[in-house]
Amino acid sequence: MRCKAVSRAAERRAKRIIRNRRDHHGSLLVMFLILAAAVFLANLITKDKSFSPNENRSLAQKPKLTQEALKDGSFFSDYTTYYSDQFPLRDFFVSLKFRVDYMLNQREFSGVYVGKDGTLLQEPAVPDMEAINKTTDAINRFAAKYADKDISVLIVPDSATIWKDHLPPNAPARNQTADITSFTGALNSRIRRIDAANALNSHRTEEIYYKTDHHWTSLGAYAVFEACTDPLRLAHEGIVYTPHVVSESFQGTLSSRSGDHRNYDTITVYEPQGTDVLYEVNYPDLQKRSASLFVSEQLEEKDQYTVFFGGNHPLVEIRTTADNGRSLLIFKDSYANSFIQFLTPYYQNIIMVDPRYYYDDVSLAMNTYGITDVMFLYSADTLLTDTALADVLNAATAEETEAPDTMNNFDIGSGNGEASGSEGEAGTESGDSQSSSEAAGDSQNSEETGDSQSSEETSDGQSSEGSSGSQSSDEGSSNSENGYVSENYDDSETGYDSEDYSDNYEEDYYSEDAESGYYDEDSDYVGENTPANIRNEDAELFYV
């Protein structure tokens, strides 16, 4: 009897366990179905996003269902990518995954190492030898064609190369310095090599790179600039640079890629002191002008590094009052954006060309702007893998291109806008140059500030019909929303057809009624974008 009682008790206990498990599994199934239904409804309700600010990249869009896509299987793989990118609360789950993996001692996330003090370091790119050979050959041919120009190459290694001690233990780190040396070794001996790696190594204990972004900081750019002054023949005496903090909340591309949003960076810009050189920035692709290198609105965006020039553009013109006859053409990637701020006192013209977005003939620019100096300023990750520069240079050396004889050199300090030639104005490359966003973490073209001055000279060397020389002073200039343009402004696809965008630049620059915020020179507050007074002392941050 006792055995039977024990057996019945065990049987009841077993049934109870089975019933509890069944109930538990049923509960899990219900929860899963509810969750699946919630995700499905969220997908239906939530509008697809085209861009992820946290990851700083474009997101996959819903693929089209076609017979060909079904046949080759691309529809299913594309749809998987699309669903992954558009998954509700994706940013939350990416961040959660990072935290869980980090707790499990993982230190590499999508090619980003989490190093010392939470510093994020990008894995150096593996050089593409085919691309390198193509680029070095193109640079050598370009240097041979323009043998009378002063040509320099400045290649910046990434943070993992300079901050090796910041890498996690046993992290594989490619020697990018050796890759740079190999690249420059293939160049013509008359091309000047500027050793950025050595200059940065001398300051490696300082904040020369961002901890959450793949770019160097303004301090890192300044360290290399100091090493450039003698080779580039820059009269640096008496000019000092005052730093101004513009943001302490920057989280860059490496933070986006890794999912690590624990730390923030500080962005600093520099103001030259001891020089009276003024400058004007022209963006032909945006048909806008500005009296500042910096775009303060970008500090409200995710990628705050675009405070420099608002991001990347096919071509940017900077015209100064230096009046020394030196015109610099810079072939560049986004690393140059924070370097240019140190060059404005030393060149009469600085022309920035980003070959990734530039589709015009660069030989035309060489002649139009009267280029005397050329610099190739790139991050090693870009130059060792990309062929865009080679494509642009090869197009320039393939055949001669007729160009206007003169450049529209505005003498900003003289109070007139006369072109130097008798044929009227010669201006920038055509205003329809195409521009696109940088992929996967590089800085993007951003919307320029509303107070930036806009206008662009035509590239055909002619002003409005029948015009010759500068526009007469009694015609005046109109204060448009985007800047100062003459009354014969022609809103055409090729840009501005204006013989003189301002009768008196200095007066307009400080005009009291200008919508861009400039006040009289003698007032307490001079314009927010004026180079001569770019800091509002009442503001906590440097206001641009």
Side-chain angles (χ1 to χ4, degrees):
M1 291 292 296
R2 186 172 183 182
C3 290
K4 289 183 179 181
V6 171
S7 178
R8 284 196 296 269
E11 186 178 347
R12 287 195 299 270
R13 188 162 51 249
K15 288 181 179 180
R16 187 166 57 250
I17 292 174
I18 293 173
R19 186 172 57 253
N20 290 339
R21 286 180 178 176
R22 187 184 300 116
D23 293 342
H24 178 67
H25 291 162
S27 299
L28 289 177
L29 179 60
V30 171
M31 292 175 61
F32 174 78
L33 292 175
I34 292 174
L35 179 61
V39 170
F40 177 76
L41 290 174
N43 274 330
L44 291 178
I45 297 172
T46 305
K47 187 178 179 180
D48 287 350
K49 299 178 181 178
S50 60
F51 184 78
S52 170
N54 280 337
E55 295 178 78
N56 196 29
R57 70 175 181 89
S58 298
L59 299 177
Q61 301 300 299
K62 183 180 291 185
K64 292 183 178 179
L65 180 60
T66 64
Q67 185 176 358
E68 183 179 351
L70 285 173
K71 186 176 180 180
D72 62 19
S74 61
F75 173 80
F76 300 103
S77 59
D78 290 346
Y79 197 90
T80 300
T81 303
Y82 156 75
Y83 191 79
S84 175
D85 277 5
Q86 302 295 340
F87 192 83
L89 301 176
R90 184 177 190 278
D91 293 337
F92 168 77
F93 287 112
V94 168
S95 181
L96 178 64
K97 181 181 184 302
F98 166 80
R99 293 180 179 275
V100 172
D101 290 343
Y102 187 82
M103 290 174 59
L104 297 175
N105 211 34
Q106 182 174 330
R107 293 296 180 268
E108 188 273 327
F109 303 86
S110 301
V112 178
Y113 295 115
V114 181
K116 181 180 177 182
D117 299 327
T119 300
L120 302 179
L121 306 105
Q122 180 173 263
E123 184 178 357
V126 177
D128 182 332
M129 294 310 301
E130 183 178 352
I132 288 175
N133 291 335
K134 186 176 179 181
T135 301
T136 53
D137 287 347
I139 293 176
N140 286 334
R141 283 195 296 271
F142 181 86
K145 178 177 179 178
Y146 297 102
D148 60 326
K149 311 303 180 187
D150 191 303
I151 302 179
S152 303
V153 171
L154 195 167
I155 308 174
V156 186
D158 68 2
S159 58
T161 299
I162 304 301
W163 281 351
K164 293 186 182 71
D165 57 329
H166 285 59
L167 287 166
N170 304 317
R174 185 177 183 85
N175 186 355
Q176 206 168 64
T177 303
D179 293 334
I180 294 172
T181 301
S182 176
F183 182 96
T184 56
L187 299 178
N188 188 295
S189 59
R190 67 171 297 272
I191 299 175
R192 179 186 297 109
R193 285 82 160 161
I194 297 175
D195 193 348
N198 184 57
L200 291 169
N201 267 316
S202 300
H203 295 267
R204 62 181 175 273
T205 59
E206 303 171 43
E207 298 298 323
I208 54 177
Y209 292 94
Y210 294 109
K211 292 185 174 181
T212 68
D213 192 70
H214 67 287
H215 292 102
W216 58 0
T217 62
S218 291
L219 179 60
Y222 181 69
V224 174
F225 163 74
E226 286 190 311
C228 291
T229 54
D230 289 339
L232 297 182
R233 298 176 290 109
L234 305 181
H236 193 30
E237 296 81 6
I239 299 178
V240 296
Y241 291 86
T242 303
H244 301 292
V245 173
V246 296
S247 175
E248 295 177 332
S249 61
F250 176 42
Q251 288 188 326
T253 55
L254 302 186
S255 176
S256 300
R257 281 171 53 189
S258 65
D260 185 357
H261 298 285
R262 298 173 299 170
N263 298 315
Y264 294 88
D265 273 312
T266 296
I267 296 180
T268 303
V269 300
Y270 282 71
E271 174 190 5
Q273 304 281 2
T275 176
D276 57 358
V277 173
L278 300 178
Y279 62 83
E280 174 196 62
V281 185
N282 182 32
Y283 301 93
D285 62 321
L286 301 178
Q287 298 187 356
K288 290 186 178 182
R289 286 181 174 168
S290 174
S292 176
L293 305 176
F294 315 109
V295 183
S296 60
E297 282 79 0
Q298 296 305 118
L299 297 174
E300 305 300 323
E301 302 296 330
K302 174 65 172 64
D303 187 6
Q304 295 181 7
Y305 184 78
T306 57
V307 68
F308 301 102
F309 297 99
N312 293 304
H313 305 270
L315 183 142
V316 176
E317 304 168 338
I318 304 171
R319 300 173 179 179
T320 80
T321 58
D323 196 25
N324 56 15
R326 298 187 68 180
S327 293
L328 174 66
L329 173 63
I330 294 186
F331 294 99
K332 43 77 72 178
D333 66 0
S334 56
Y335 265 62
N337 295 356
S338 57
F339 186 83
I340 301 298
Q341 60 186 316
F342 305 109
L343 299 182
T344 54
Y346 308 103
Y347 295 95
Q348 186 169 336
N349 300 289
I350 301 174
I351 310 301
M352 302 163 58
V353 169
D354 193 325
R356 295 168 297 180
Y357 316 113
Y358 185 80
Y359 303 106
D360 289 327
D361 189 342
V362 76
S363 61
L364 179 65
M366 290 290 294
N367 296 327
T368 300
Y369 299 111
I371 298 300
T372 59
D373 301 76
V374 177
M375 177 184 286
F376 298 92
L377 199 168
Y378 276 86
S379 66
D381 285 335
T382 300
L383 194 60
L384 299 178
T385 59
D386 189 59
T387 61
L389 174 60
D391 294 337
V392 169
L393 296 182
N394 286 335
T397 55
E399 58 182 59
E400 291 291 337
T401 303
E402 256 185 68
D405 294 331
T406 59
M407 169 189 174
N408 178 21
N409 268 328
F410 290 110
D411 188 357
I412 298 175
S414 67
N416 63 58
E418 294 185 2
S420 59
S422 60
E423 292 296 320
E425 295 186 356
T428 68
E429 303 299 318
S430 63
D432 60 352
S433 296
Q434 299 179 22
S435 139
S436 61
S437 297
E438 270 190 85
D442 221 326
S443 328
Q444 299 176 321
N445 281 348
S446 303
E447 187 174 331
E448 184 59 276
T449 59
D451 61 335
S452 297
Q453 297 171 323
S454 81
S455 121
E456 177 191 15
E457 293 76 50
T458 60
S459 60
D460 59 3
Q462 298 292 330
S463 299
S464 60
E465 185 177 352
S467 65
S468 176
S470 63
Q471 192 168 339
S472 61
S473 59
D474 56 349
E475 288 183 22
S477 61
S478 63
N479 284 338
S480 71
E481 185 176 355
N482 291 324
Y484 309 111
V485 297
S486 69
E487 292 179 356
N488 64 342
Y489 160 71
D490 178 3
D491 187 10
S492 65
E493 290 184 2
T494 56
Y496 298 145
D497 187 9
S498 166
E499 189 173 14
D500 184 7
Y501 80 101
S502 171
D503 292 337
N504 190 315
Y505 183 86
E506 278 195 329
E507 290 181 9
D508 283 345
Y509 193 78
Y510 296 107
S511 73
E512 196 166 36
D513 59 348
E515 296 184 21
S516 50
Y518 303 138
Y519 289 79
D520 185 76
E521 190 172 6
D522 298 325
S523 68
D524 293 334
Y525 173 50
V526 183
E528 60 188 12
N529 279 345
T530 57
N533 194 349
I534 53 178
R535 180 173 175 81
N536 179 355
E537 296 297 335
D538 295 329
E540 181 180 355
L541 297 179
F542 167 59
Y543 193 82
V544 292

